[in-house]
C-alpha cells in the first residue's frame, strides 16, 4: 500500500478485496501511514474476508499502515523493517473551543479504533499498550515479535527505488508541489521528535527536497 496522498483508499481496497476468490491474500506494506478511518476500514475489510491474510511489512508500517498490518492472520517482517505505532494526531487551527473539541475527538479515536486495532495482538496489558501509543513508539522487527505485532522475522530484503523514468506523472507532480505544504518553522517547533521522524519519512517517501 502507499501512504499519504496515495490512490490507496478504503473504497478502492474494498473493490479489490471483494473480487478476490482465492484462499490466501498477501498484502505488502511499505508506508508512512494515512487517514485513520481509511486505515481502520481497510483493516476491517481484510479481517472479515474468508481468505487467510498474510501481511508482509517490506520496509515501514507506520501510523495507519500499522493499523492495517494488525489485520493479518500472519505478519512477516524482515529484520531491517520497522513499525511505528502512536495515538491519532492532526494539524489544527481555530479558537479555543474548536481546539478543545478536536482534542476530545482525538481522545475518542485513541480510546476506540486505534487502541482496539492493536489490542487483539498485543501480548501485554492494556495500560502498557496505551503507554506505547502515547510515546509514538518505533519498533524493530524483533520488538514487534516480542510484543505480538509480528509472527515471523524473515530474510532481509532490499527495496528497489523507482527511477525517474518509472515514476508516474502523479508522483512527479506530488513531489513538485508537496514542498509547498511543508510545515512552517513555528509548526515544526511544536512537533515531537517522533512526529518529526514521521514527517521526514514522508518527505523521503515523496522525494521532497
Amino acid at each position: 500500500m502507499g501512504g499519504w496522498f496515495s490512490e490507496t483508499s478504503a473504497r478502492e481496497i474494498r473493490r479489490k478485496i471483494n473480487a478476490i476468490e482465492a484462499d490466501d491474500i498477501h498484502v505488502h506494506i511499505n508506508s508512512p501511514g494515512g487517514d485513520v478511518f481509511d486505515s481502520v476500514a481497510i483493516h476491517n475489510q481484510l479481517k472479515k474476508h474468508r481468505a487467510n491474510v498474510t501481511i508482509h511489512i517490506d520496509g515501514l508500517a507506520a501510523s495507519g499502515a500499522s493499523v492495517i498490518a494488525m489485520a493479518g492472520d500472519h505478519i512477516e517482517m524482515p529484520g531491517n523493517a520497522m513499525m511505528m505505532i502512536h495515538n491519532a494526531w492532526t494539524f489544527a487551527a481555530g479558537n479555543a473551543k474548536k481546539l478543545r473539541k478536536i482534542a476530545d475527538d482525538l481522545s475518542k479515536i485513541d480510546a476506540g479504533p486505534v487502541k482496539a486495532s492493536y489490542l487483539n495482538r498485543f501480548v501485554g496489558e492494556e495500560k502498557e499498550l496505551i503507554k506505547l501509543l502515547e510515546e509514538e513508539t518505533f519498533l524493530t522487527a524483533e520488538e514487534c515479535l516480542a510484543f505480538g505485532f509480528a509472527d515471523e522475522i524473515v530474510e532481509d530484503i532490499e527495496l528497489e527505488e523507482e527511477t525517474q523514468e518509472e515514476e508516474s506523472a502523479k508522483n512527479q507532480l506530488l513531489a513538485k508541489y508537496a514542498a509547498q505544504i511543508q510545515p512552517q518553522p513555528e509548526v515544526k517547533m511544536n512537533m515531537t521528535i517522533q512526529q518529526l521522524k514521521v514527517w521526514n519519512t514522508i518527505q523521503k517517501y515523496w522525494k521532497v527536497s
Side-chain angles (χ1 to χ4, degrees):
M1 65 166 289
W4 277 282
F5 316 119
S6 170
E7 72 279 4
T8 304
S9 67
R11 178 179 298 179
E12 178 66 15
I13 292 297
R14 182 178 64 224
R15 183 186 66 79
K16 292 180 178 179
I17 288 177
N18 289 341
I20 296 176
E21 298 180 357
D23 294 328
D24 296 286
I25 295 175
H26 291 266
V27 180
H28 289 262
I29 295 177
N30 179 39
S31 172
D35 180 83
V36 62
F37 291 113
D38 256 21
S39 301
V40 170
I42 294 171
H43 170 108
N44 291 336
Q45 290 161 12
L46 290 170
K47 289 288 287 186
K48 72 179 183 181
H49 198 280
R50 67 173 184 82
N52 182 74
V53 178
T54 300
I55 301 290
H56 306 269
I57 300 175
D58 292 336
L60 174 67
S63 189
S66 66
V67 170
I68 295 172
M70 295 300 101
D73 297 301
H74 185 79
I75 302 175
E76 297 182 354
M77 293 181 70
N80 59 355
M82 292 196 75
M83 181 181 295
M84 189 277 279
I85 65 173
H86 68 159
N87 282 331
W89 58 273
T90 187
F91 294 103
N95 58 32
K97 182 177 180 180
K98 182 176 181 180
L99 292 176
R100 278 192 291 268
K101 182 183 186 305
I102 292 172
D104 290 340
D105 291 342
L106 288 174
S107 294
K108 291 179 181 179
I109 294 170
D110 294 338
V114 171
K115 184 177 67 175
S117 298
Y118 301 105
L119 199 54
N120 288 337
R121 274 194 157 269
F122 185 58
V123 299
E125 300 177 9
E126 183 175 336
K127 63 181 181 181
E128 294 171 329
L129 173 62
I130 291 173
K131 185 65 174 176
L132 291 174
L133 292 170
E134 288 175 345
E135 293 184 355
E136 301 181 355
T137 306
F138 278 80
L139 301 167
T140 65
E142 290 81 5
E143 291 167 341
C144 286
L145 191 65
F147 286 141
F149 296 145
D151 300 299
E152 183 182 0
I153 298 177
V154 297
E155 186 177 352
D156 293 358
I157 60 174
E158 294 295 332
L159 297 179
E160 295 184 5
E161 294 189 5
E162 291 180 326
T163 65
Q164 188 69 19
E165 290 74 24
E166 292 172 331
E167 290 182 350
S168 67
K170 180 199 70 178
N171 284 352
Q172 292 181 41
L173 289 173
L174 283 171
K176 177 180 179 180
Y177 293 111
Q180 299 178 13
I181 59 171
Q182 294 186 65
Q184 298 301 312
E186 61 272 16
V187 176
K188 286 189 175 182
M189 289 176 63
N190 292 327
M191 286 184 176
T192 66
I193 293 176
Q194 297 295 358
Q195 288 170 343
L196 283 171
K197 287 182 179 179
V198 173
W199 179 254
N200 289 334
T201 300
I202 298 169
Q203 290 180 306
K204 181 178 179 181
Y205 185 83
W206 290 114
K207 301 180 178 67
V208 176
S209 59

